[in-house]
Amino acid sequence: MTKLGAGIAITGCGSAAPKARLSNDHLSQMVETSDEWISSRTGMKNRHIASWEETLSNISAEAAEAAIAMAGISAAEIDLIILATSTPDDLFGTACQIQNAIGAYKAVAFDLTAACSGFIFALITAAQFIRTGVYQNTLIIGADVLSRWVDWSERSTCVLFGDGAGAVVCQGIQGSDRLLGFEMYSDGSQNNCLNLSYQGQSKPLIEDVTVGSGTYRPITMNGREVYRFAVAKVPEVIEKAMFRANITAEQVDWLLLHQANQRIMDTVAKRLQIPEEKVLSNLAKYGNTSAASIPLVLDEAVRQGKVKPGDIIAASGFGAGLTWGAAIFQWGK
Ligand code: ACO
């Protein structure tokens, strides 16, 4: 066990995506849309879509193993696994399946749901366990298979989402702290902007006792409201986290936003006066992968050698709930 007051270091990352790709042209054959409409409004070109055999736990385990290997530890050394997802394989939780698949036998594992803010919320949650000295090695996974819950005949939503998984290893270190600042918010009054909600119908069991029997409805979204929310709240929450981190926007090496829409990312960067070459983006390849998008683009940038040890990253997730949050951290040991 680490001493109370341990610092945080993010020492490994990994990602995985299902094999099949769905391009804007493919979507144009399914609904009334076009490559021009989708790419000009969102920046998306392709997304990866999971087959029935490619489960959330499979892609999460693949991302997790890559992150653990990069961190240079073994799965048996992991103390805590938090899986951020809104699309579990099992509503009782999927983190335990991943724990078993990767052989992290010592780790306690649980799911956390905060939609597209899930990865940031999970990272911050794991950091609290490290800071209090309870755990040393934590694995944070962001993964979603939203394709299971998209109405593929609804053009306003089906063009936006893709599937994927990303993971990081976050460890306790003595003498310094690479998690420089964070902030998290929720606003349930705007909950109806973005939903994947259960819809039950009354089914009588016996006289005076009924149950709500049904399933989850496909994703519904008020795109304009979500857009307005994102461009207003994301710059604000990053500014607050930068204030806590005692840094200015000029000191930020990389802006790492939830990959919802290129126009949202460009607007946030402009408001923060962060130049576009510092904005990490891969949504042209993956679309919006919800809780996976931040660790997925981070992993790509680290493996490409763009993000280097010591670089300061301003990361922000935002989405259903509504929820939003930011974490400022330095990459690496
Ligand atoms: N192809 C062609 N036309 C379309 C499509 C499509 N795929 N979808 C909608 N349209 C039409 C609409 O029907 C509408 O037509 P009308 O003017 O005749 O009524 C027109 O295009 C404009 O629709 P808007 O919804 O106003 O388009 P907008 O410019 O707002 O762009 C978009 C829509 C891309 C969804 C935008 O609002 C957006 O990005 N919002 C944020 C959404 C988001 O990021 N969600 C996820 C964040 S949270 C999370 O990650 C879970």
Coordinates of all heavy atoms in Angstrom, one line a residue, residues 31-34 37-38 41-42 115-116 146 155-157 159-161 194 221-224 226-227 258-261 263-264 288 290 318-320, ligand 1:
V31 N -29.5 5.3 -45.3 CA -30.5 6.4 -45.0 C -30.2 7.6 -46.0 O -29.2 7.6 -46.6 CB -30.3 6.9 -43.5 CG1 -30.8 5.8 -42.6 CG2 -28.9 7.3 -43.2
E32 N -31.2 8.5 -46.0 CA -31.0 9.7 -46.9 C -30.0 10.6 -46.3 O -30.3 11.5 -45.5 CB -32.3 10.4 -47.1 CG -32.4 11.1 -48.4 CD -33.8 11.8 -48.5 OE1 -34.8 11.2 -48.1 OE2 -33.8 13.0 -49.0
T33 N -28.7 10.4 -46.7 CA -27.6 11.3 -46.2 C -26.5 11.3 -47.2 O -26.7 10.7 -48.3 CB -27.1 10.9 -44.8 OG1 -26.3 11.9 -44.3 CG2 -26.4 9.5 -44.9
S34 N -25.4 12.0 -47.0 CA -24.3 12.0 -48.0 C -23.0 12.2 -47.2 O -23.0 12.7 -46.1 CB -24.5 13.2 -48.9 OG -24.5 14.4 -48.2
W37 N -22.7 15.9 -46.4 CA -23.4 16.3 -45.2 C -22.7 15.9 -43.9 O -22.4 16.7 -43.0 CB -24.8 15.8 -45.2 CG -25.7 16.5 -44.2 CD1 -26.6 17.5 -44.4 CD2 -25.8 16.2 -42.8 NE1 -27.2 18.0 -43.3 CE2 -26.8 17.2 -42.2 CE3 -25.2 15.3 -41.9 CZ2 -27.1 17.2 -40.9 CZ3 -25.6 15.4 -40.5 CH2 -26.5 16.3 -40.0
I38 N -22.3 14.6 -43.8 CA -21.7 14.1 -42.6 C -20.4 14.7 -42.4 O -20.1 15.2 -41.3 CB -21.6 12.5 -42.6 CG1 -23.0 11.9 -42.9 CG2 -21.0 12.0 -41.3 CD1 -22.9 10.4 -43.2
R41 N -20.6 18.5 -41.4 CA -21.2 18.8 -40.1 C -20.5 18.2 -39.0 O -20.6 18.7 -37.8 CB -22.6 18.3 -40.1 CG -23.5 18.8 -41.2 CD -24.3 20.0 -40.8 NE -25.1 20.4 -42.0 CZ -26.2 21.1 -41.9 NH1 -26.7 21.3 -40.7 NH2 -26.8 21.5 -43.0
T42 N -19.7 17.2 -39.2 CA -19.1 16.4 -38.0 C -17.6 16.2 -38.1 O -17.0 15.9 -37.1 CB -19.8 15.1 -37.8 OG1 -19.4 14.2 -38.9 CG2 -21.3 15.2 -37.8
A115 N -21.8 8.2 -19.5 CA -21.9 8.4 -20.9 C -20.5 8.9 -21.5 O -19.5 8.2 -21.1 CB -22.9 9.4 -21.3
C116 N -20.4 9.9 -22.2 CA -19.2 10.3 -22.9 C -18.2 11.0 -21.9 O -17.1 11.3 -22.3 CB -19.5 11.2 -24.1 SG -20.7 10.5 -25.2
L146 N -22.0 1.5 -28.9 CA -23.3 2.2 -29.1 C -24.0 1.7 -30.3 O -25.2 1.9 -30.4 CB -23.0 3.7 -29.2 CG -22.8 4.4 -27.9 CD1 -22.5 5.9 -28.2 CD2 -24.0 4.3 -27.0
R155 N -31.5 9.0 -39.5 CA -30.2 9.6 -40.0 C -29.6 10.6 -39.1 O -28.4 10.9 -39.2 CB -30.5 10.2 -41.4 CG -31.4 11.4 -41.3 CD -31.5 12.1 -42.7 NE -32.4 13.3 -42.6 CZ -32.6 14.1 -43.6 NH1 -32.1 13.8 -44.8 NH2 -33.4 15.1 -43.4
S156 N -30.4 11.2 -38.2 CA -29.8 12.3 -37.4 C -28.9 11.7 -36.3 O -28.1 12.5 -35.7 CB -31.0 13.2 -36.8 OG -31.8 12.4 -36.0
T157 N -29.1 10.5 -36.0 CA -28.2 9.9 -34.9 C -27.3 8.8 -35.5 O -26.1 8.7 -35.1 CB -29.0 9.3 -33.8 OG1 -30.0 8.4 -34.3 CG2 -29.6 10.3 -32.9
V159 N -25.5 8.3 -38.0 CA -24.2 8.7 -38.7 C -23.1 9.1 -37.7 O -22.0 9.2 -38.1 CB -24.4 9.9 -39.7 CG1 -25.5 9.5 -40.8 CG2 -24.8 11.2 -39.0
L160 N -23.5 9.2 -36.4 CA -22.6 9.9 -35.5 C -21.7 8.9 -34.7 O -20.6 9.2 -34.3 CB -23.3 10.7 -34.5 CG -24.2 11.9 -35.0 CD1 -24.9 12.5 -33.9 CD2 -23.3 12.9 -35.7
F161 N -22.2 7.6 -34.5 CA -21.6 6.8 -33.5 C -20.8 5.6 -34.1 O -21.2 5.1 -35.1 CB -22.7 6.3 -32.5 CG -23.4 7.4 -31.8 CD1 -24.7 7.8 -32.1 CD2 -22.7 8.1 -30.8 CE1 -25.3 8.8 -31.5 CE2 -23.3 9.2 -30.2 CZ -24.7 9.5 -30.5
L194 N -30.3 13.8 -24.3 CA -29.6 12.7 -24.8 C -29.9 11.5 -24.0 O -29.5 11.5 -22.8 CB -28.1 13.1 -24.8 CG -27.1 12.3 -25.5 CD1 -27.4 12.0 -26.9 CD2 -25.7 13.1 -25.5
M221 N -31.7 12.1 -29.3 CA -30.8 13.2 -29.0 C -31.3 14.5 -29.6 O -31.8 14.5 -30.7 CB -29.4 12.9 -29.7 CG -28.4 14.0 -29.5 SD -26.8 13.6 -30.3 CE -27.2 14.0 -32.0
N222 N -31.2 15.6 -28.8 CA -31.5 16.9 -29.4 C -30.1 17.5 -29.7 O -29.4 18.1 -28.9 CB -32.2 17.7 -28.3 CG -32.5 19.1 -28.8 OD1 -31.9 19.6 -29.7 ND2 -33.5 19.7 -28.2
G223 N -29.7 17.3 -31.0 CA -28.4 17.6 -31.4 C -28.0 19.1 -31.2 O -26.9 19.4 -30.8
R224 N -29.0 20.0 -31.5 CA -28.6 21.4 -31.4 C -28.4 21.8 -29.9 O -27.5 22.6 -29.6 CB -29.8 22.2 -31.9 CG -29.8 22.2 -33.4 CD -30.7 23.2 -34.0 NE -30.7 23.1 -35.4 CZ -31.5 23.7 -36.2 NH1 -32.4 24.6 -35.8 NH2 -31.4 23.6 -37.5
V226 N -27.4 19.8 -27.5 CA -26.1 19.1 -27.1 C -24.9 20.0 -27.6 O -23.9 20.2 -26.9 CB -26.0 17.7 -27.5 CG1 -24.6 17.1 -27.2 CG2 -27.1 16.8 -26.9
Y227 N -25.0 20.4 -28.8 CA -24.0 21.2 -29.4 C -23.8 22.5 -28.6 O -22.7 22.9 -28.2 CB -24.4 21.6 -30.9 CG -23.3 22.2 -31.7 CD1 -22.5 21.4 -32.5 CD2 -23.0 23.6 -31.6 CE1 -21.4 21.9 -33.2 CE2 -22.0 24.1 -32.3 CZ -21.2 23.3 -33.1 OH -20.2 23.8 -33.8
H258 N -13.3 14.8 -25.9 CA -14.2 13.7 -26.3 C -14.6 14.0 -27.8 O -14.9 15.1 -28.2 CB -15.5 13.8 -25.5 CG -16.6 13.0 -26.1 ND1 -16.4 11.7 -26.5 CD2 -17.9 13.3 -26.4 CE1 -17.6 11.2 -27.1 NE2 -18.5 12.2 -27.0
Q259 N -14.4 12.9 -28.6 CA -14.5 13.1 -30.1 C -16.0 13.0 -30.5 O -16.4 12.0 -31.0 CB -13.7 12.0 -30.7 CG -12.3 11.9 -30.2 CD -11.3 12.9 -30.9 OE1 -11.1 12.9 -32.1 NE2 -10.8 13.8 -30.0
A260 N -16.7 14.1 -30.3 CA -18.2 14.1 -30.6 C -18.4 14.7 -32.0 O -19.3 14.3 -32.8 CB -19.0 14.8 -29.6
N261 N -17.6 15.8 -32.3 CA -17.8 16.5 -33.5 C -16.7 17.5 -33.7 O -16.3 18.2 -32.8 CB -19.1 17.3 -33.3 CG -19.6 18.1 -34.6 OD1 -18.7 18.6 -35.3 ND2 -20.8 18.1 -34.9
R263 N -16.5 20.2 -35.3 CA -16.9 21.6 -35.1 C -16.9 22.0 -33.6 O -16.5 23.1 -33.3 CB -18.2 21.9 -35.7 CG -18.2 21.8 -37.3 CD -19.5 22.4 -37.8 NE -20.6 21.7 -37.4 CZ -21.9 22.1 -37.5 NH1 -22.2 23.3 -38.0 NH2 -22.9 21.4 -37.1
I264 N -17.3 21.0 -32.8 CA -17.3 21.3 -31.3 C -15.8 21.5 -30.9 O -15.5 22.4 -30.2 CB -18.0 20.2 -30.5 CG1 -19.4 20.1 -30.8 CG2 -17.7 20.4 -29.0 CD1 -20.2 19.0 -30.1
N288 N -18.0 9.0 -33.1 CA -18.1 9.2 -31.7 C -18.2 7.8 -31.0 O -19.2 7.2 -31.1 CB -19.4 10.0 -31.4 CG -19.6 10.3 -30.0 OD1 -19.1 9.7 -29.1 ND2 -20.5 11.2 -29.7
S290 N -18.1 7.5 -27.7 CA -18.6 7.7 -26.3 C -17.4 7.6 -25.3 O -16.4 8.3 -25.5 CB -19.7 6.8 -26.0 OG -20.4 7.2 -24.9
F318 N -17.7 15.1 -22.2 CA -19.0 15.7 -22.0 C -20.0 14.9 -22.7 O -19.8 14.2 -23.7 CB -19.0 17.1 -22.6 CG -18.5 17.2 -24.0 CD1 -19.3 17.1 -25.1 CD2 -17.1 17.3 -24.3 CE1 -18.9 17.1 -26.4 CE2 -16.6 17.3 -25.6 CZ -17.5 17.2 -26.6
G319 N -21.2 14.9 -22.2 CA -22.3 14.1 -22.8 C -23.5 13.9 -22.0 O -23.8 14.8 -21.1
A320 N -24.2 12.8 -22.2 CA -25.5 12.5 -21.6 C -25.4 12.7 -20.1 O -24.3 12.5 -19.4 CB -25.9 11.2 -22.0
Ligands
ACO1 N1 -28.0 13.6 -43.4 C1 -28.6 14.6 -44.1 N2 -29.4 15.5 -43.5 C2 -29.6 15.4 -42.1 C3 -28.9 14.3 -41.4 C4 -28.1 13.5 -42.1 N3 -27.5 12.5 -41.5 N4 -29.3 14.5 -40.1 C5 -30.1 15.5 -40.0 N5 -30.3 16.1 -41.3 C6 -31.1 17.2 -41.6 C7 -32.2 17.5 -40.6 O1 -33.3 16.8 -40.9 C8 -32.4 19.0 -40.9 O2 -33.2 19.1 -42.0 P1 -34.3 20.3 -42.1 O3 -33.5 21.6 -42.0 O4 -35.0 20.1 -43.4 O5 -35.2 20.1 -40.9 C9 -31.0 19.5 -41.3 O6 -30.2 18.4 -41.7 C10 -30.3 20.2 -40.2 O7 -30.4 19.4 -39.0 P2 -29.7 19.9 -37.6 O8 -30.0 18.8 -36.6 O9 -30.2 21.3 -37.3 O10 -28.2 19.9 -38.1 P3 -27.0 20.5 -37.3 O11 -26.3 21.5 -38.2 O12 -27.4 20.9 -35.9 O13 -26.0 19.3 -37.2 C11 -25.4 17.6 -35.6 C12 -26.5 18.1 -36.5 C13 -24.2 17.2 -36.4 C14 -26.0 16.3 -34.9 C15 -25.1 18.7 -34.6 O14 -26.2 19.2 -34.0 C16 -24.2 18.2 -33.5 O15 -23.1 17.7 -33.7 N6 -24.7 18.2 -32.3 C17 -23.9 17.7 -31.2 C18 -24.3 16.2 -31.1 C19 -23.3 15.5 -30.3 O16 -22.1 15.8 -30.3 N7 -23.8 14.4 -29.7 C20 -23.0 13.5 -29.0 C21 -22.4 14.2 -27.8 S1 -22.6 13.4 -26.4 C22 -22.2 11.9 -26.7 O17 -21.1 11.8 -27.2 C23 -23.1 10.8 -26.4

